Amino acid sequence: MNARPLPPSRDLRLVHVDARDRRSIISLRPGGPSFGGEEIAICAGPCAVESREQIVATAAAVAHAGANVLRGGAYKPRTSPYSFQGLGRDGLTMMREAADLFGLSVVTEVLDPRDAEIVAEFADMLQIGARNMQNTALLRAVGETGKPVLLKRGLAATVDEWLLAAEYIALTGNEKIVLCERGVRSFDPSTRNLLDLAVVPLLASRTHLPTIVDPSHGTGLAGLVAPMGLAAVAAGAAGIMVEVHPDPASAVSDGMQSLTFAEFESFMESMPAVAAAVGRRLPKHYAGSLNATPPS
Ligand code: PEP
Ligand code: MN
């Protein structure tokens, strides 16, 4: 008898590329952002929600530059327990308010299965961070909300481990899953992580789920974000996720990898040509007023 374990890919029953006759397109709302179609999704915003002013200003700037999803952490998975842990529920309400002012959708991280329902009330997409990719209780909890899930690659996760984590979510009956490459641990401290762009075409051959790329965590260096974001789109990514802050030098987290508003705008200006070269297009520009002020 052959005692060797089955290769993990044999257990990819729902997310395997052959499980569906076409590639999945994940929409956050009708007519809104979608992942996996001709249009790419642009998720941008601060690492952490720090204040109402910060998130509203950032939402205005990224909407103006052409983003369609506001990112930002209300619950932050910090390496040190002494670092800022996020504004929690207040951060969620600020983010929802800021996004609604400028017609954006919201993606934000869930850290604890007990928070999945409350985050799902405010967000359009729930993010599983790299540190939690194999937290199976959390994967089930976010799956059960029925909301689209952004599943980041673990710090040192193989493609099979990552896809099996997606399979956990899919098993809840929720197959609205988008994968996010955000770099893996490497031997070289020159960049924060090693951004693995080869997984974008590789995953397209393994799963019907779309993949986006986060060049901010993937490199850790603001100067590398635009070139690697463009390269991600050229490689076929369904979207990008980028950290943007009104004043990166004073950001409470990840300032080194955050773009200023001007840097994000010029990055976005270079995007349509690259997208067009691979048969993709950018979301429609936000047409509303950019001077909206939040109710006080
Ligand atoms: C984030 O997106 O803010 C984040 C914490 O990313 P990651 O889980 O990829 O480290
Ligand atoms: Mn961050």
Side-chain angles (χ1 to χ4, degrees):
M1 199 184 131
N2 185 351
R4 289 218 323 251
L6 289 176
S9 57
R10 296 276 283 272
D11 280 341
L12 299 177
R13 300 177 194 180
L14 300 172
V15 306
H16 194 272
V17 66
D18 295 336
R20 292 228 180 145
D21 48 19
R22 62 182 61 146
R23 306 202 56 74
S24 292
I25 299 179
I26 315 297
S27 294
L28 300 194
R29 55 188 157 81
S34 71
F35 299 76
E38 202 185 308
E39 188 176 289
I40 60 177
I42 308 292
C43 314
C47 180
V49 181
E50 298 170 11
S51 67
R52 174 171 276 108
E53 295 66 37
Q54 176 240 22
I55 194 68
V56 170
T58 309
V62 301
H64 175 72
N68 56 354
V69 183
L70 182 64
R71 66 142 286 142
Y75 300 91
K76 292 305 300 176
R78 305 306 300 284
T79 298
S80 166
Y82 302 107
S83 301
F84 174 66
Q85 304 288 310
L87 297 179
R89 198 195 157 102
D90 288 347
L92 293 177
T93 58
M94 288 174 197
M95 209 178 159
R96 181 77 260 170
E97 180 181 84
D100 288 345
L101 284 169
F102 305 105
L104 299 167
S105 292
V106 167
V107 60
T108 193
E109 182 165 352
V110 186
L111 281 186
D112 186 318
R114 292 169 295 189
D115 295 329
E117 281 300 331
I118 174 86
V119 178
E121 264 178 52
F122 290 96
D124 303 296
M125 184 179 223
L126 308 186
Q127 178 172 325
I128 295 290
R131 291 157 189 79
N132 276 311
M133 189 203 82
Q134 289 181 307
N135 181 339
T136 55
L138 187 60
L139 296 174
R140 285 197 197 93
V142 295
E144 280 161 9
T145 66
K147 287 270 174 166
V149 178
L150 184 67
L151 179 63
K152 287 193 143 195
R153 183 182 192 172
L155 303 171
T158 66
V159 166
D160 275 332
E161 288 164 344
W162 190 9
L163 290 174
L164 286 166
E167 187 81 16
Y168 267 95
I169 300 168
L171 260 178
T172 65
N174 177 356
E175 296 194 33
K176 289 175 273 178
I177 306 161
V178 176
L179 302 164
C180 179
E181 162 64 29
R182 46 79 72 205
V184 291
R185 280 278 162 92
S186 94
F187 59 90
D188 187 350
S190 306
T191 54
R192 181 178 179 181
N193 289 296
L194 191 64
L195 185 63
D196 180 6
L197 288 184
V199 292
V200 175
L202 177 67
L203 283 166
S205 71
R206 300 283 314 280
T207 178
H208 55 82
L209 299 173
T211 304
I212 70 166
V213 172
D214 170 353
S216 305
H217 293 88
T219 65
L221 297 167
L224 303 185
V225 169
M228 297 315 288
L230 295 172
V233 172
I240 52 159
M241 173 177 262
V242 172
E243 287 183 340
V244 179
H245 192 281
D247 177 23
S250 69
V252 298
S253 55
D254 288 350
M256 290 257 293
Q257 66 193 35
S258 297
L259 301 186
T260 62
F261 296 167
E263 286 165 347
F264 181 67
E265 195 172 342
S266 79
F267 169 37
M268 289 301 293
E269 279 163 9
S270 53
M271 188 76 83
V274 176
V278 291
R280 295 308 228 328
R281 56 185 160 76
L282 275 292
K284 275 212 294 291
H285 244 70
Y286 173 70
S289 164
L290 289 163
N291 298 318
T293 45
S296 50

